Amino acid sequence: MPRYDFKSIESRWQQHWEENATFKAEDPACGKDKMYVLDMFPYPSGSGLHVGHPEGYTATDIVCRHARMNGKNVLHPMGWDSFGLPAEEHAVKTGTHPRETTEKNIATFKRQLKMLGFSYDWTRELATTDPEYYRWTQWIFLQLFDTWYDSEHEWTGQDGKQRTGKGRPISELPIPAEVTAAGEEAVRRYQDKHRLAYLSEAPVNWCPALGTVLANEEIIDGKSERGSHPVERVALKQWMLRITAYGDRLANELEELDWPESIKLLQRNWIGRSTGAEVDFYIGDATVGTGPTEFEGWKTTRSASGFPAEAGDDVLRVYTTRPDTLYGATYMVIAPEHRFVDRLTTEDQKAAVAEYCRKASMKSDLDRTELAKDKTGVFTGSYATNPVNGEQIPIWVADYVLISYGTGAIMAVPAHDLRDFEFAVKFEIPVIQVVQPPASWKPSKDESAIAASVNGIEIVPFAGHGTAINSDHLNGKSTADAKAAIIGVLDESGIGKSAVNYKLRDWLFSRQRYWGEPFPIWHELDADGNPTGLMRTESIESLPVPHPHMEDFKPTGTPEPMLAKATDEWLYKTDTDGVRLKRETNSMPQWAGSCWYFLRFCDNKNGEAFIDPALEKYWMPVDLYIGGAEHAVLHLLYSRFWHKVLFDRGHVSMVEPFQKLVNQGMILGEADENGKAEKMSKSRGNVINPDDVVKEYGADALRLYEMFMGPLEQVKPWSMKGVEGVYRFLGRVWRMIIDDRAEEVALLDSVNEAAATDEQLRMLHKTIKAVSEDIAKLSLNTAISRMMEFTNFMSHETSRPKSVLQDFVLLLSPFAPHIAEELWHALGNTSTLAYEAWPKFDEALLVEDSIEVPIQFNGKLKAKINVPNGLDAAAMQAAAEADENVKKQLEGKTIVKVIAVPGRMVNFVVR
RNA sequence: GGCACCGUAGCCCAAUUUGGCAGAGGCGCUCGGCUUAGAACCGAGAUGUUGGGAGUUCGAAUCUCCCCGGUGCUACCA
C-alpha cells in the first residue's frame, strides 16, 4: 500500500474505533472535567445526508477530539428527530408505514455518519419515535399540564439574582372564593384555564393540503413552510402552550449566554416585548344608553372600583404603546373577529359589516399581505367615548387590526401612527396633532411617502417622540413624561393600567397528523357520549400512550385528526369511577421531541425517569451547540421554554440548556460561469451527495474540505476543485512521512530519530500555537492553512525528526482522524491517538533572533531593515536612522516627528 | 419597508477583535522539471483603486459617517 489509500485506511480505523468503543463517554466518576458537545440532530429524510450536515458535524467532531486529547470527558451523541410529515406523506403515497420508512432512513443516515468517522458515542443513540423516548415527551407534557405560571412569585436564581415569576404546581393555584363556592367542577375548569398546556378555541392556520393546522412559525408568506400550500383561518379547539408567560424570562435570560448577538437579537425581536397601557373606552350597554350622563356615571363607578382584570361589556378595551397620544384618538378599530362586532354594528351598517367580515375571514394571510398597501375597513355605526375628554369617536372594523395581538382593538391616532394615518386619510376621518416633533425632526421616508392633504392642509404624520400639545394637562411634557403621567391618571381613575404585550403568541401545540406523539390526555364523556369539557391525565405509570397502529394515512380533508380513526379500544375506556373517557386524538408537533433530546442523551436508557438528576447535574448544560441558523427562533426558543418549565418544577438544575451556540452557514451549490452560486436543491440539479465525494476522495478529504471552505458561520459555495485541493494536501502529508514507492507502509529514510533543528522546532511550535488557538476560536479554515504551511516547510527538509512529525500528526488528527491514526501507527505507536496528550507549545522557541521591520515616511513604505528582536522604540529609531538606504532618503528632509513601535515599524514624519 | 450580516487578486478566502510591510493557505493561470506522452508529482512566477466617497490619525482593508451592491431574517404587533 504505497500510495495514500484512503479507502482501506478509513474503513480499517472506523472498524477499530467501533470494536474498541473508543469514543464512549466515561462515567462521571472518572474525575475528569466534562464537555458536552451537541449537534442539531437531523430529521432522517429519504434523500439521505446532505453536504450541509457534515459541516457542523465535522466542526463539533474536531472540538470533541481536541477536548479528549486535553483530558476532557466528552459527551458527543447523535440521534434522530424522526417524527414528522415527510414519512407520513410518503405513507399516503405508497402505503408504506411511517415507522418502516423512518427505520430505513435512520439506517441510511447512520451508515453515512459512520462513513465520515465522527466520534459519536453511539451507545447513546435515540430516536424521538422510540416508545421509550416519547414516553418521556408525554411525561414532560404532563408537567406542562400540571403547571401554572405565578407571575408574582419571587425567587433567587443559582446566580444569586432576584427574579420574579415562576411555574408552580397547579395544586398551588389560588382559587377565588366564588369559584370554590361554585363546586368542584368549577374549580377544575378554573384550573384548566390556568395551565401552561391548555385547550383553546381560536382562529388557527388550517392547511387542507397537509391536513393539519400549523403554528405561526410554520407559515411563510401566508403559505405552509413545508410544500408552500395555502393556509386558511378557521376556529378550532386546539392545545396551546403558554410560552408567553415566559416571554420576559426568555428575553432576559439570553443575557448570560455565549450566543451570537445576531441570534439573541432575532429571539428578542421574535418575542417582541412592548410596554404601554390598556385603556377602556366607554361604549355603554343597551339597557343604560351611552349619553354623557351615563359616561359620567361610569367614570364615578370606575374611580371607586378600579380597573377590572376582565373588561366588561360596557367598554371597549384597547392596548396602546402610546397612551400619551390619547387626546389625539379620533376613531377606534376592532378586528373583524372581535366579539363585539355584532353588538356594535347598527341596523343600517349590518349588511356592509357582515360582508366585510365575511371577506376578511376568507382572506389567507397571503392576501392580507398583498393587499397591505391599501387599507380597508367599514364603519360599525357606533361610537365610543374617549375617557380623557368625553369625545364621541366612531368605531370601525378593519383587518389591519389583528385579533391575536393586544386586545384585538385599538384607539387610532392618525397624526402619530402611520397605519392610522393612511386609514384616516382614505376614510376622511379627522387628524388631530397631539405631539410636537422636535425642531430637528425631518420626516422619515415612510412618513413623507404617505403625507397627504387633509382639508386643504398638507399633513405629514409623525410617529416619533416629541412634546405633548393639545392634550390638556399633558401639554409641554416630553413623550416619556407624558406616558408616565397619563398612566398615573388612568390608573387612579380605574380607566386604564400599564400593560406589557408580546409579538410572541402562545404556542399552538396540536397537529392532526398520524406520525406524531399522542397526548396523554382523556376527555370525560357524558351519558350521551359527548365531551363535557373536563379532562383527566393518563397516569404516569401507564405511559407511554402507545402510538396506535393504522394502515390508512390519507388526510380526511377536514380538521378531524387522523388518530380519530384508531380502534375503539385505543380511543375509549371507562375509568375506575365509571366515567366514560375518550382519548385526545390530536398529536404533538415535531418540535416536541427536539425540545428535550439533549437531556435524554445524558441518560438515554433510564426506565425510571426522563433523566437521572446526578447525570443531569454532571453533563448539563450543553457546552457547545452547533446547527443551522434556520432554528434561531423556533427550536431554540421552544426548547429554552421547556427547559425553564422543567427548571421551575425542579427537574433540571439550570435555567438555560445551551451555554454556547454557533450557527453554521449554508453551503450553496457550485458557482456557475458567472460566479453565481445558488442554494442546493433537487430542482436545480446542483445537489452534492456526500457518498460520491467520499467514494472519490475519502472521508478525511470531505471533512477537511468542508472546514477549509471558509469561516463556519459564513455562507459558502461548493467547489469540487477545492475538494481536490485538500485531497492533494493529504497526499503531501502522506508522502512527507511514508515512502510511497515501498511495497508495504514504511517510513521514508529521511524520517529519523535526529534532534530537531531550531528552525524545525520554531515551525512546529508556531503551528501548535496557531492550530490550538484556531480550534478554540472555531477558526478551522485558518487552522488547516497553518498545517499546510507546516507541510510545505517540512517536505523540503532532508532530515525529518520523528518527534516533530508525531506532534504534527496529533495536530492533524481532529480534522483528518483516519490518516492521522494510520500515520501515528506507522510512526511506531501501537494504540489509538484519540487520547494522546495534545501538543503544548513553548513560547521561548517561537522567538526569532532578528526581524524585518518596515520603515515608513509619512505612513508610506520606503525601506525595510533587519534588526535584532526585542529592541525598544529608541533603539528601533536609532537602527533605522543608521541604515544607509534610509539615511539617503532622509537627506534634505526635515524630520517633524518619529513614531517607532517596538517590533512593528518606524515612521518618519517629514517635510 | 424594518433589522442583521457581508463586500480584499480571475475564484474560495487570510490580515479587521488589538489601526502599522495588503497576502498565510487553497483553486485557477503562466513557465520550467519529470515523462515516449498525458495525469499525478516537483520547482519557479504573475495577478490589486481592499465596492465608491468623505472624516479621524504620523499612519486606515481595519475606526466613524454617507452612498452603492449582495445575502439572510422579518413583515400592518397598535
Side-chain angles (χ1 to χ4, degrees):
Chain A
M1 193 184 69
R3 288 272 184 122
Y4 166 44
D5 178 8
F6 60 82
K7 274 201 178 81
S8 75
I9 294 174
E10 290 177 358
S11 63
R12 186 144 33 82
W13 284 101
Q14 281 163 20
Q15 198 185 339
H16 177 96
W17 297 328
E18 179 143 356
E19 283 168 2
N20 293 281
T22 306
F23 304 116
K24 196 171 179 324
E26 293 175 67
D27 191 85
C30 70
K32 294 180 178 178
D33 285 344
K34 69 96 183 182
M35 176 132 174
Y36 186 177
V37 180
L38 184 67
D39 293 309
M40 286 185 187
F41 68 161
Y43 173 76
S45 72
S47 38
L49 212 62
H50 178 272
V51 288
H53 290 113
E55 188 190 13
Y57 299 168
T58 305
T60 51
D61 199 55
I62 290 167
V63 170
C64 288
R65 287 172 178 274
H66 174 249
R68 284 189 202 98
M69 296 172 83
N70 279 303
K72 294 271 171 51
N73 182 19
V74 172
L75 177 55
H76 188 38
M78 181 44 78
W80 318 106
D81 188 14
S82 42
F83 273 126
L85 267 178
E88 188 167 351
E89 283 173 337
H90 185 72
V92 172
K93 261 188 240 151
T94 65
T96 318
H97 195 278
R99 186 163 294 282
E100 201 180 309
T101 312
T102 302
E103 279 167 9
K104 199 182 104 222
N105 293 347
I106 286 177
T108 304
F109 266 70
K110 197 168 170 181
R111 174 188 62 76
Q112 290 182 304
L113 291 177
K114 289 198 165 181
M115 159 188 96
L116 290 169
F118 295 129
S119 60
Y120 294 122
D121 177 353
W122 283 106
T123 65
R124 292 173 185 263
E125 179 182 3
L126 57 81
T128 55
T129 45
D130 294 341
E132 270 309 296
Y133 182 87
Y134 69 68
R135 170 185 182 184
W136 299 106
T137 309
Q138 292 169 341
W139 179 85
I140 294 173
F141 177 83
L142 290 179
Q143 305 307 307
L144 288 155
F145 186 77
D146 186 59
T147 304
W148 66 289
Y149 194 77
D150 181 353
S151 55
E152 315 282 306
H153 188 88
E154 308 223 335
W155 54 286
T156 310
Q158 67 225 111
D159 49 8
K161 270 189 222 151
Q162 199 63 27
R163 294 169 205 238
T164 309
K166 189 159 194 168
R168 298 175 58 193
I170 197 74
S171 57
E172 295 173 9
L173 175 71
I175 311 287
E178 67 269 23
V179 175
T180 313
E184 189 230 355
E185 195 181 308
V187 170
R188 286 174 66 191
R189 288 184 196 275
Y190 182 83
Q191 288 177 328
D192 286 350
K193 265 174 68 178
H194 288 82
R195 297 174 190 275
L196 292 184
Y198 63 100
L199 276 170
S200 158
E201 181 135 54
V204 295
N205 308 298
W206 162 247
C207 179
L210 294 177
T212 186
V213 300
L214 300 171
N216 290 329
E217 291 86 333
E218 292 167 309
I219 295 167
I220 308 225
D221 290 337
K223 295 196 169 174
S224 63
E225 183 188 23
R226 165 162 292 280
S228 283
H229 301 295
V231 174
E232 295 168 10
R233 295 168 63 78
V234 296
L236 276 181
K237 198 159 233 180
Q238 295 290 325
W239 282 99
M240 307 290 288
L241 297 188
R242 209 179 299 279
I243 189 171
T244 49
Y246 282 80
D248 269 344
R249 280 171 62 191
L250 286 168
N252 296 338
E253 287 163 8
L254 280 171
E255 199 70 43
E256 54 244 53
L257 298 180
D258 185 7
W259 286 25
E261 277 311 312
S262 59
I263 301 291
K264 290 189 184 181
L265 193 66
L266 225 49
Q267 289 218 349
R268 286 200 190 95
N269 289 345
W270 189 266
I271 294 164
R273 184 182 202 267
S274 77
T275 56
E278 286 188 350
V279 184
D280 282 347
F281 282 63
Y282 183 66
I283 51 176
D285 69 56
T287 54
V288 191
T290 58
T293 330
E294 287 79 15
F295 172 61
E296 288 305 326
W298 173 77
K299 272 175 70 173
T300 313
T301 319
R302 272 300 176 87
S303 41
S305 72
F307 187 73
E310 299 263 338
D313 283 352
D314 55 347
V315 295
L316 189 53
R317 180 165 290 182
V318 302
Y319 171 74
T320 176
T321 54
R322 291 295 299 273
D324 61 298
T325 61
L326 201 42
Y327 287 88
T330 55
Y331 67 100
M332 303 187 76
V333 185
I334 58 177
E337 302 86 357
H338 198 279
R339 66 189 181 100
F340 282 180
V341 167
D342 283 343
R343 59 171 290 218
L344 288 173
T345 303
T346 58
E347 209 46 52
D348 353 336
Q349 293 298 98
K350 252 201 171 78
V353 170
E355 174 62 11
Y356 183 81
C357 291
R358 195 185 61 81
K359 274 195 184 152
S361 74
M362 309 254 301
K363 277 189 199 175
S364 68
D365 283 10
L366 180 63
D367 296 330
R368 279 192 170 191
T369 315
E370 275 177 357
L371 297 173
K373 285 187 190 89
D374 202 16
K375 293 272 179 297
T376 61
V378 57
F379 179 41
T380 60
S382 298
Y383 294 82
T385 310
N386 187 334
V388 291
N389 58 12
E391 292 282 331
Q392 293 285 105
I393 57 175
I395 304 170
W396 289 65
V397 179
D399 66 4
Y400 81 91
V401 170
L402 309 175
I403 189 64
S404 50
Y405 185 78
T407 61
I410 61 158
M411 64 172 208
V413 185
H416 305 293
D417 181 280
L418 306 189
R419 293 150 304 181
D420 297 348
F421 184 82
E422 272 185 287
F423 191 87
V425 167
K426 178 164 174 187
F427 293 104
E428 300 180 337
I429 298 169
V431 178
I432 302 173
Q433 282 183 278
V434 291
V435 183
Q436 180 70 48
S440 59
W441 176 67
K442 284 199 190 75
S444 69
K445 269 184 200 156
D446 292 343
E447 286 169 339
S448 42
I450 59 167
S453 143
V454 178
N455 295 332
I457 308 161
E458 180 77 4
I459 301 185
V460 185
F462 169 62
H465 286 193
T467 309
I469 52 170
N470 300 328
S471 298
D472 195 32
H473 64 281
L474 299 180
N475 287 347
K477 287 192 181 357
S478 71
T479 297
D481 291 348
K483 272 189 197 177
I486 190 73
I487 288 175
V489 172
L490 292 171
D491 195 38
E492 210 167 294
S493 50
I495 287 168
K497 183 180 141 220
S498 67
V500 172
N501 251 297
Y502 302 92
K503 283 196 210 176
L504 182 71
R505 306 296 150 80
D506 275 347
W507 174 12
L508 177 78
F509 193 68
S510 41
R511 300 292 184 275
Q512 289 65 51
R513 300 312 312 250
Y514 171 70
W515 198 227
E517 298 88 344
F519 282 84
I521 293 287
W522 293 96
H523 295 279
E524 292 185 9
L525 302 178
D526 62 18
D528 303 324
N530 294 317
T532 62
L534 291 166
M535 291 177 277
R536 295 183 183 193
T537 55
E538 185 75 55
S539 72
I540 285 175
E541 302 72 47
S542 53
L543 293 179
V545 174
H547 199 261
H549 184 82
M550 282 168 45
E551 300 286 341
D552 170 23
F553 311 104
K554 282 218 164 45
T556 54
T558 68
E560 171 83 350
M562 291 288 293
L563 296 184
K565 295 198 282 184
T567 59
D568 283 359
E569 195 194 347
W570 186 86
L571 280 170
Y572 298 96
K573 78 165 181 185
T574 304
D575 214 345
T576 44
D577 60 358
V579 175
R580 192 82 176 129
L581 302 174
K582 183 182 182 189
R583 265 196 210 281
E584 170 64 51
T585 54
N586 282 294
S587 53
M588 299 188 200
Q590 196 182 349
W591 308 112
S594 60
C595 270
W596 72 284
Y597 74 111
F598 47 90
L599 288 167
R600 191 65 180 173
F601 277 139
C602 303
D603 191 17
N604 68 327
K605 303 211 170 56
N606 194 330
E608 305 299 314
F610 81 117
I611 186 172
D612 179 277
L615 289 173
E616 190 273 335
K617 240 187 145 110
Y618 177 73
W619 287 115
M620 288 299 286
V622 172
D623 296 286
L624 175 65
Y625 195 21
I626 297 186
E630 68 274 17
H631 292 117
V633 282
L634 304 175
H635 162 61
L636 285 172
L637 199 60
Y638 293 155
S639 42
R640 291 181 61 224
F641 163 53
W642 278 35
H643 205 259
K644 286 179 193 304
V645 176
L646 289 172
F647 172 83
D648 285 358
R649 294 302 306 273
H651 299 300
V652 298
S653 59
M654 283 174 210
V655 271
E656 287 286 341
F658 313 122
Q659 185 51 39
K660 182 180 167 94
L661 173 78
V662 174
N663 285 118
Q664 81 218 38
M666 206 187 341
I667 295 180
L668 304 176
E670 190 117 13
D672 62 19
E673 59 276 13
N674 305 317
K676 208 174 145 52
E678 291 183 294
K679 214 166 156 167
M680 284 189 195
S681 70
K682 273 189 196 150
S683 56
R684 291 195 185 93
N686 60 352
V687 176
I688 305 284
N689 183 342
D691 282 344
D692 299 340
V693 180
V694 170
K695 208 169 153 195
E696 197 162 348
Y697 301 101
D700 282 338
L702 175 65
R703 293 169 58 114
L704 212 52
Y705 171 64
E706 294 217 7
M707 296 302 96
F708 188 59
M709 292 173 84
L712 189 60
E713 293 96 330
Q714 199 164 298
V715 178
K716 308 159 282 257
W718 184 268
S719 155
M720 258 330 170
K721 284 285 179 195
V723 183
E724 264 176 62
V726 294
Y727 175 70
R728 290 209 282 258
F729 162 66
L730 289 174
R732 282 201 298 277
V733 170
W734 182 257
R735 291 191 305 274
M736 172 171 79
I737 298 172
I738 303 295
D739 182 356
D740 70 346
R741 280 169 301 190
E743 291 296 319
E744 297 292 322
V745 175
L747 297 178
L748 282 169
D749 292 343
S750 51
V751 175
N752 55 38
E753 304 287 346
T757 65
D758 286 355
E759 202 187 2
Q760 287 172 339
L761 277 180
R762 185 156 54 237
M763 190 64 203
L764 173 68
H765 284 250
K766 259 169 73 179
T767 309
I768 295 172
K769 181 174 198 267
V771 172
S772 305
E773 288 172 357
D774 284 348
I775 290 177
K777 285 188 295 188
L778 284 176
S779 177
L780 305 171
N781 52 328
T782 53
I784 294 167
S785 75
R786 301 310 287 258
M787 291 189 283
M788 289 173 166
E789 229 175 311
F790 175 90
T791 307
N792 290 346
F793 164 84
M794 193 48 93
S795 298
H796 291 118
E797 296 291 291
T798 47
S799 167
R800 303 174 192 171
K802 248 188 201 176
S803 60
V804 173
L805 294 175
Q806 292 216 34
D807 274 356
F808 172 76
V809 166
L810 293 176
L811 293 185
L812 179 67
S813 68
F815 297 81
H818 310 88
I819 189 175
E821 290 271 23
E822 185 72 16
L823 291 171
W824 183 249
H825 190 76
L827 284 163
N829 301 284
T830 48
S831 64
T832 174
L833 51 60
Y835 294 91
E836 286 297 320
W838 185 254
K840 301 253 174 306
F841 65 90
D842 181 350
E843 199 76 51
L845 292 174
L846 301 177
V847 181
E848 315 241 4
D849 299 338
S850 82
I851 52 170
E852 192 184 53
V853 293
I855 308 302
Q856 301 174 350
F857 284 24
N858 294 338
K860 297 273 176 288
L861 178 69
K862 290 290 173 187
K864 291 179 184 182
I865 59 168
N866 275 304
V867 298
N869 204 349
L871 292 187
D872 64 12
M876 295 261 302
Q877 181 180 341
E881 282 168 344
D883 185 79
E884 286 305 321
N885 182 13
V886 175
K887 249 188 218 165
K888 210 187 308 165
Q889 295 198 55
L890 275 173
E891 266 166 35
K893 297 199 168 79
T894 316
I895 299 175
V896 181
K897 193 175 169 187
V898 182
I899 293 120
V901 181
R904 299 308 284 269
M905 45 66 71
V906 179
N907 185 19
F908 292 96
V909 184
V910 295
R911 260 203 311 265

